[in-house]
Amino acid sequence: MSKSTFRNTYGPILLVIVSIAFVSPVEAAGQRPRVGLALSGGAAKGMAHIGVIKVLEEAGIPIDVVTGCSMGSIIGGLYSVGYSTAEMETMVLEANWSDVFSDRVPRNRLGMEYKLWDSRFLISFPMKGLHIGLPSGLIAGQHMMRMMSSLTVPVQWSLDFNDLPIPFACVATDITTGEAVVLKSGFLADAIRASVAIPSIFTAVRIDDRLLVDGGLVRVMPAEDAIELGADIVIGVDVGEKPLSEEKLNSIIGVTQQTLTILMRPEMTRQRTLCDLVITPDFKGIEQYEFEQGPRLIELGEEAARAMMPQLEQLADSLERWGRTEPKEPPQRIDSFDFDEMIVEGLSVVSRDFVEREFGFDIPGRLTMDEIQKGVDQVYTTQFFKSVSYGIRYENSRTVLVLQVVEQTENLFRVGLRYDSRRKGELLLNTTIRNLSRMRATFALDIILAEEYEVDAKFFMRTGLIRALGFRLRANTQRINMGVFQGDTRVAQYITRYSFGEFLLGTIFSTKLNVAAGFRAEHIYQQLETGPPQLSDSTDVLVPFFGEISLDTIDRTVFPTHGLYVRLIGEVADRGVGSDLSFTRAYLDQRAALALHPNVSLFQSLFLGASNGSVPSSYLFFLGHVNEPIALQSVNSTFYGLEFQERAGPYVQMLLLGVQWQFVPTFFLQAGWNIGNTFEEWNTTLSTSRYINGGGLTLGANTVVGPIIFTIMTSDRHDILTYFSAGYTF
């Protein structure tokens, strides 16, 4: 009779008399039976594993081998490394799981050029040639790898998981063949990442020429793999999904979840029969992706294990006859390494020199963990890679840093959609082509379909001289509606067709500071749509030269909580250098957000601008309404209490102060007050008669289709104005 058949037939009885059944074969050899822990997948519910392990340790049960699947591989892998339950609890509760299960680069790590793209697109599709496809997974798992690479550094010297403080294995699925793949060697972070690669959410992971996804498809609780690792007694922890009631089968998500549960149930039943003890927490009322329920999930794991304390204590007592087993010392935590070499694996299009320059730290040399992570982040944020992970190897007395990259071989087709009460509906279509040849260049084409249409083409690339230095070529044509006001009454309406070509050179790939200069060739045609007969159409050809200094540390584009933004622009056009008009224009755009509390922050905005000479009407400064540009080519701003472009002039002064309250995770309330005006001449006299006061109250929410906001505002010119928008701004 095979061992598994023996266990299936007599396991439940033999747990009660474990000292006779399982212990006797090993007792004859003078060895204590080895205890294995098999941790199932279950997304957020896998946090309950920590509570179970707490109770197992409290009961005095030694754990000799650990196996895991999906979330169970994360907890099991960390436990096998030597992390305590207290350390694991801190990790999972403090982790930002919405970021972990995302590839989104935090805004403060984006290059200055890429910050302009942040929070613009609703959905992205891969492109091959002119064909638009569907992604193999929504995310490549960059932040998951970032977290696991950092946490497994203490054992990255070990390529055999049997050499860990507690031998470990995790299960993945070969998506090509449907076979279970037991991962017992290699980089631990890679193995765990493969085991959690939920199909259609995470992209698959290639290890040893096999394309791997979540092991839950074939073996959600790997009890048999614990036996293969040498376990004589197996404790299983089942946190997987249970069949849904009929009332919950009212959506495609519910039906899909039920289908997977039914398909996996026979194998789960088989794995449960291989266990001597199965602990099954009751998660009634908690869904599998409610990571914010972490404390309660850990508590439920403890409760389920304590409910089985009599059996656990009986098992512990039966094992004590061999004496207490001293646990292996966890590996020493290392904060820095002396590297002899860096290897980059996965390059095909991008050059190694480029990766080394973007990494930014010299090897051979000593690097701290923070420096390693910063270098990896710098390579990833170039946008040329789907993922960048790292490992540390010891080869022939040499310490080697291994960067593992997956290049962006697919281009992107992206879509943005929004509605607001002034512009009405707008559709953004974007094509982005990356890794152009070996030039480390990107081409992007935006088409905005709306009454105020825009076509914008950008080509930008690194110069290769210094890391952040690059140039941008840009061609743009757009329609802008511009009003002429007398007091608070619109007396004329122009349709402005504005086209330009631009060259810019600067530190556009820096994550914080851009120092740049360039020039534009512009054609501006203003067609009078409505207005008095003394107004007429006009055409201007301009060649302005400009310089720019920008600092940007704002944490997010929508509802920021902290950071500083400063942009100083100077422009000059001269009739002697191709322009129809001679003029100068300069402005300072400064914003800040300051967190007073995790849910409360202050925000502030200051805009000062001055123009001189024969300033064309399109180069005036404009004040009015929500999320509108104050100057041509400026970032959108808000001035409460005025209609769109209600104030216009060659000089502007504006100050806004406000407070933001995040009263639930995705809802925000903002209250703001502003003062300012446009002028025909510069004057610093602080007189209330010179300025317009306004205030506004905004209710906003972050949703799957982008931010939704409603603003009600007032000023000394208007009693009540309102504004509504839904979708990302572009």
Side-chain angles (χ1 to χ4, degrees):
M1 181 183 296
S2 69
K3 185 175 182 180
S4 62
T5 304
F6 183 78
R7 295 166 65 87
N8 291 344
T9 306
Y10 300 105
I13 301 172
L14 295 182
L15 176 61
V16 181
I17 53 173
V18 66
S19 59
I20 299 175
F22 281 120
V23 223
S24 53
V26 289
E27 183 178 14
Q31 299 175 0
R32 175 180 63 76
R34 290 165 59 82
V35 179
L37 183 62
L39 305 178
S40 80
K45 296 177 182 179
M47 294 183 184
H49 292 316
I50 297 173
V52 171
I53 296 172
K54 280 185 183 180
V55 177
L56 294 181
E57 291 182 337
E58 182 181 321
I61 296 177
I63 303 300
D64 300 291
V65 300
V66 179
T67 58
C69 174
S70 199
M71 191 66 178
S73 72
I74 294 178
I75 304 302
L78 295 178
Y79 189 58
S80 70
V81 167
Y83 287 104
S84 68
T85 54
E87 289 174 316
M88 289 192 294
E89 184 170 359
T90 298
M91 290 172 193
V92 299
L93 295 184
E94 291 184 354
N96 187 331
W97 290 98
S98 62
D99 282 347
V100 170
F101 290 101
S102 163
D103 282 339
R104 183 179 179 275
V105 180
R107 190 177 184 280
N108 59 3
R109 292 193 202 137
L110 288 172
M112 295 292 281
E113 185 68 25
Y114 297 115
K115 289 181 193 287
L116 302 175
W117 290 355
D118 186 59
S119 297
R120 298 189 76 207
F121 304 109
L122 177 63
I123 191 168
S124 298
F125 301 95
M127 286 183 62
K128 290 188 177 180
L130 298 177
H131 299 286
I132 300 172
L134 293 174
S136 60
L138 297 179
I139 58 177
Q142 173 65 20
H143 297 313
M144 171 65 74
M145 280 301 298
R146 186 180 193 271
M147 180 177 74
M148 296 314 304
S149 294
S150 174
L151 294 176
T152 59
V153 159
V155 296
Q156 289 195 0
W157 49 266
S158 173
L159 298 180
D160 186 340
F161 301 165
N162 275 315
D163 295 332
L164 298 176
I166 301 176
F168 172 73
C170 60
V171 178
T173 303
D174 187 324
I175 194 62
T176 303
T177 65
E179 299 173 343
V181 178
V182 183
L183 299 169
K184 297 184 287 187
S185 62
F187 279 122
L188 182 57
D190 283 348
I192 293 173
R193 163 67 178 85
S195 185
V196 302
I198 304 168
S200 76
I201 295 180
F202 283 104
T203 57
V205 178
R206 186 170 295 279
I207 297 179
D208 295 334
D209 294 327
R210 305 190 79 161
L211 208 55
L212 305 180
V213 297
D214 194 316
L217 294 179
V218 290
R219 192 145 65 238
V220 73
M221 188 174 70
E224 70 178 73
D225 305 298
I227 297 171
E228 287 297 319
L229 281 183
D232 301 295
I233 301 167
V234 178
I235 300 172
V237 186
D238 180 3
V239 299
E241 287 298 300
K242 303 302 181 287
L244 299 175
S245 62
E246 183 176 344
E247 301 81 62
K248 293 187 177 181
L249 298 176
N250 55 4
S251 69
I252 188 171
I253 295 175
V255 172
T256 301
Q257 179 180 321
Q258 185 84 327
T259 302
L260 290 173
T261 301
I262 292 171
L263 291 174
M264 293 188 294
R265 195 170 184 180
E267 179 60 21
M268 172 57 89
T269 300
R270 188 177 78 86
Q271 294 299 318
R272 288 176 67 100
T273 63
L274 296 176
C275 297
D276 300 287
L277 190 68
V278 179
I279 299 171
T280 309
D282 182 2
F283 298 110
K284 187 176 181 180
I286 300 179
E287 300 298 330
Q288 60 179 336
Y289 291 108
E290 293 188 61
F291 285 90
E292 69 277 7
Q293 296 271 11
R296 178 57 180 156
L297 291 166
I298 294 173
E299 184 180 305
L300 290 174
E302 288 190 57
E303 291 176 2
R306 291 192 192 284
M308 303 187 73
M309 188 60 83
Q311 296 98 310
L312 295 176
E313 289 177 340
Q314 184 179 13
L315 176 59
D317 291 342
S318 70
L319 297 173
E320 277 193 358
R321 69 179 66 188
W322 283 273
R324 287 198 169 273
T325 302
E326 293 298 324
K328 290 183 182 179
E329 284 293 324
Q332 181 182 0
R333 308 287 164 82
I334 304 174
D335 295 326
S336 61
F337 297 84
D338 283 310
F339 289 108
D340 300 290
E341 182 183 2
M342 181 170 77
I343 296 174
V344 184
E345 298 179 346
L347 292 177
S348 175
V349 176
V350 183
S351 70
R352 177 188 169 90
D353 288 344
F354 172 75
V355 174
E356 289 178 343
R357 183 165 53 252
E358 293 301 314
F359 183 76
F361 297 98
D362 292 331
I363 293 178
R366 187 171 188 83
L367 298 182
T368 65
M369 286 302 305
D370 286 343
E371 289 172 332
I372 296 171
Q373 194 61 69
K374 181 180 179 181
V376 169
D377 289 343
Q378 289 173 168
V379 174
Y380 178 64
T381 56
T382 63
Q383 310 287 301
F384 292 154
F385 303 98
K386 291 181 180 179
S387 65
V388 181
S389 58
Y390 68 92
I392 299 170
R393 293 179 188 163
Y394 294 90
E395 300 176 348
N396 302 321
S397 301
R398 292 167 57 83
T399 305
V400 180
L401 177 63
V402 182
L403 295 190
Q404 299 164 314
V405 303
V406 178
E407 292 179 336
Q408 288 282 13
T409 57
E410 297 171 335
N411 300 316
L412 292 176
F413 176 75
R414 302 189 279 195
V415 177
L417 184 65
R418 75 184 306 269
Y419 172 90
D420 71 39
S421 52
R422 187 185 75 80
R423 299 178 183 86
K424 309 307 179 185
E426 292 183 301
L427 175 66
L428 168 63
L429 304 177
N430 167 273
T431 298
T432 302
I433 301 174
R434 299 169 292 191
N435 277 336
L436 278 172
S437 184
R438 289 184 173 271
M439 296 187 295
R440 305 174 297 280
T442 299
F443 172 79
L445 175 65
D446 283 349
I447 301 176
I448 296 177
L449 301 177
E451 181 185 9
E452 292 187 314
Y453 65 80
E454 181 176 2
V455 179
D456 188 45
K458 293 181 180 179
F459 175 89
F460 51 92
M461 64 176 288
R462 290 163 170 78
T463 63
L465 301 176
I466 61 175
R467 195 177 67 83
L469 186 65
F471 70 85
R472 182 182 72 205
L473 301 176
R474 186 179 180 191
N476 180 289
T477 185
Q478 57 186 287
R479 166 182 162 148
I480 308 169
N481 294 330
M482 301 182 68
V484 177
F485 283 80
Q486 286 184 357
D488 57 1
T489 303
R490 188 187 301 268
V491 297
Q493 176 78 26
Y494 280 97
I495 297 173
T496 300
R497 291 182 174 86
Y498 173 53
S499 302
F500 69 87
E502 178 186 83
F503 172 82
L504 175 144
L505 175 69
T507 55
I508 59 176
F509 298 105
S510 165
T511 58
K512 293 181 180 179
L513 181 67
N514 180 24
V515 180
F519 65 90
R520 286 189 298 272
E522 304 177 340
H523 181 274
I524 304 172
Y525 173 61
Q526 290 192 298
Q527 178 184 0
L528 182 65
E529 187 176 31
T530 60
Q534 63 266 31
L535 299 178
S536 62
D537 298 350
S538 66
T539 301
D540 294 311
V541 175
L542 306 173
V543 184
F545 292 80
F546 62 89
E548 171 183 350
I549 299 176
S550 300
L551 173 69
D552 190 342
T553 63
I554 295 291
D555 63 330
R556 57 194 186 199
T557 301
V558 183
F559 306 122
T561 61
H562 63 270
L564 176 66
Y565 173 87
V566 181
R567 189 183 188 204
L568 180 61
I569 295 283
E571 299 166 306
V572 57
D574 191 275
R575 285 190 174 92
V577 194
S579 291
D580 290 344
L581 303 170
S582 295
F583 66 92
T584 61
R585 186 178 73 163
Y587 64 82
L588 170 68
D589 185 358
Q590 180 268 323
R591 304 143 193 246
L594 175 65
L596 300 179
H597 176 273
N599 297 324
V600 179
S601 57
L602 301 178
F603 59 91
Q604 170 266 329
S605 178
L606 173 70
F607 198 105
L608 303 174
S611 304
N612 288 290
S614 303
V615 183
S617 58
S618 55
Y619 266 76
L620 297 176
F621 296 104
F622 300 91
L623 279 184
H625 225 50
V626 177
N627 202 29
E628 299 287 353
I630 293 180
L632 193 68
Q633 299 291 326
S634 73
V635 179
N636 288 354
S637 300
T638 291
F639 191 88
Y640 296 117
L642 293 181
E643 295 279 7
F644 170 61
Q645 294 184 345
E646 185 170 335
R647 296 297 299 159
Y651 299 91
V652 66
Q653 299 169 8
M654 186 276 283
L655 173 67
L656 182 150
L657 301 172
V659 61
Q660 174 178 282
W661 174 35
Q662 184 176 349
F663 56 93
V664 293
T666 58
F667 283 82
F668 298 81
L669 185 66
Q670 294 179 336
W673 166 85
N674 49 227
I675 184 170
N677 209 340
T678 60
F679 309 98
E680 293 302 316
E681 61 181 22
W682 186 260
N683 193 323
T684 57
T685 303
L686 298 178
S687 170
T688 55
S689 62
R690 298 181 64 244
Y691 295 101
I692 299 168
N693 285 278
L697 190 65
T698 296
L699 177 64
N702 273 326
T703 73
V704 293
V705 296
I708 296 176
I709 68 171
F710 174 76
T711 299
I712 184 169
M713 49 190 165
T714 186
S715 70
D716 45 21
R717 283 180 173 263
H718 299 279
D719 291 334
I720 295 293
L721 295 173
T722 60
Y723 172 81
F724 173 80
S725 72
Y728 295 109
T729 299
F730 44 79

